[in-house]
Amino acid sequence: MMSTECSLLLATRNQGKRRELETILKGLPCRIVTLEEFPDAPEVVEDRSTFLDNARKKAQTLARHTGLLTLAEDSGLEVDALDGRPGVYSARYARGEGSTDAENIERVLLELQGVPLAKRTARFVCQAVLYESDKEIGQAFGEVCGLISENRRGHEGFGYDPIFYLPEYGKTFGELPASVKNRISHRSGALREIRVILEGRFRR
Ligand code: IMP
């Protein structure tokens, strides 16, 4: 086993995100550690008004708790016709904590009823932050633009993927294989930059 010096903690309990992060970071010379190895890690309340501040809060809290190099990301969906909602509330849009993906999708579709496809522009955004020894050592942002479809399509991915339509592919993220999503997504955009920072850090 590598030393904790070469371990990277992924600060998320979201299994969908975790799978994507592990795939995108594959091949780095470090052991990827998840919160399952820290059952007593504090639950971080995402109560900040920006993705960056939420990601910072998660990274700092969990780096402090574990003493490990820690990567946190906060991400969500911004819909133009809804003035940017659900935004930082994406995970709990339907009815607060405990909202399911299906309920969140339902609320967005309901709020967009009657809005034509061309006006259903939206983006997924991802803000990633790296923390080590109580210091922020990097941050990166990624986004991907698309349209909110009128119905759910496909079962791949997680969250709002079945209603996030990419005109250039003629498919939603719910219909596209993970290999394509992981190449073009907001998360992969941000994580590509984080990967460069980590590669430099592990070369030292
Ligand atoms: P948080 O970053 O843990 O606050 O949660 C972000 C929420 O945004 C997720 O629970 C999803 O609802 C949504 N989200 C973020 N990234 C994606 C994605 O890649 N696909 C679908 N939904 C996403």
Side-chain angles (χ1 to χ4, degrees):
M1 192 170 89
M2 287 189 198
S3 68
T4 50
E5 171 66 8
C6 291
S7 295
L8 172 68
L9 173 73
L10 301 184
T12 183
R13 290 191 168 85
N14 178 319
Q15 296 304 316
K17 272 190 190 181
R18 190 188 124 182
R19 264 196 306 278
E20 290 185 9
L21 292 171
E22 282 178 335
T23 306
I24 297 165
L25 294 173
K26 212 181 253 160
L28 277 176
C30 64
R31 187 172 78 97
I32 303 272
V33 182
T34 67
L35 284 175
E36 273 154 31
E37 296 185 36
F38 295 91
D40 59 343
E43 199 61 55
V44 182
V45 182
E46 295 176 27
D47 55 0
R48 304 292 157 88
S49 58
T50 65
F51 292 107
L52 177 58
D53 286 345
N54 276 330
R56 272 196 180 124
K57 185 178 177 188
K58 283 189 265 192
Q60 185 183 45
T61 308
L62 292 158
R64 266 187 196 154
H65 178 82
T66 61
L68 295 179
L69 173 64
T70 299
L71 171 65
E73 64 91 88
D74 197 40
S75 49
L77 177 69
E78 294 180 339
V79 181
D80 293 321
L82 302 180
D83 298 323
R85 295 191 314 275
V88 290
Y89 300 103
S90 292
R92 54 201 146 109
Y93 194 48
R95 50 176 182 83
E97 290 304 330
S99 301
T100 65
D101 289 343
E103 289 168 336
N104 289 333
I105 286 179
E106 204 51 54
R107 175 161 178 196
V108 169
L109 290 182
L110 211 63
E111 290 183 338
L112 286 176
Q113 244 173 25
V115 178
L117 190 63
K119 296 214 163 117
R120 297 164 80 104
T121 49
R123 73 200 58 79
F124 274 131
V125 301
C126 171
Q127 181 71 62
V129 171
L130 258 184
Y131 245 81
E132 185 177 42
S133 309
D134 221 19
K135 216 172 77 213
E136 185 174 310
I137 61 165
Q139 56 165 270
F141 178 80
E143 69 178 342
V144 57
C145 296
L147 298 167
I148 301 301
S149 58
E150 282 167 3
N151 301 294
R152 294 152 210 264
R153 287 167 49 174
H155 300 281
E156 298 287 336
F158 68 98
Y160 297 92
D161 280 344
I163 56 167
F164 193 82
Y165 179 74
L166 296 123
E168 57 275 44
Y169 291 86
K171 286 190 161 77
T172 66
F173 265 154
E175 295 173 303
L176 283 169
S179 55
V180 176
K181 182 180 177 192
N182 286 338
R183 210 172 57 230
I184 63 173
S185 79
H186 51 314
R187 195 161 291 103
S188 82
L191 268 284
R192 261 198 303 274
E193 282 184 48
I194 292 287
R195 200 184 164 100
V196 172
I197 298 169
L198 286 170
E199 281 167 349
R201 154 92 183 44
F202 290 130
R203 261 200 300 274
R204 271 194 268 133

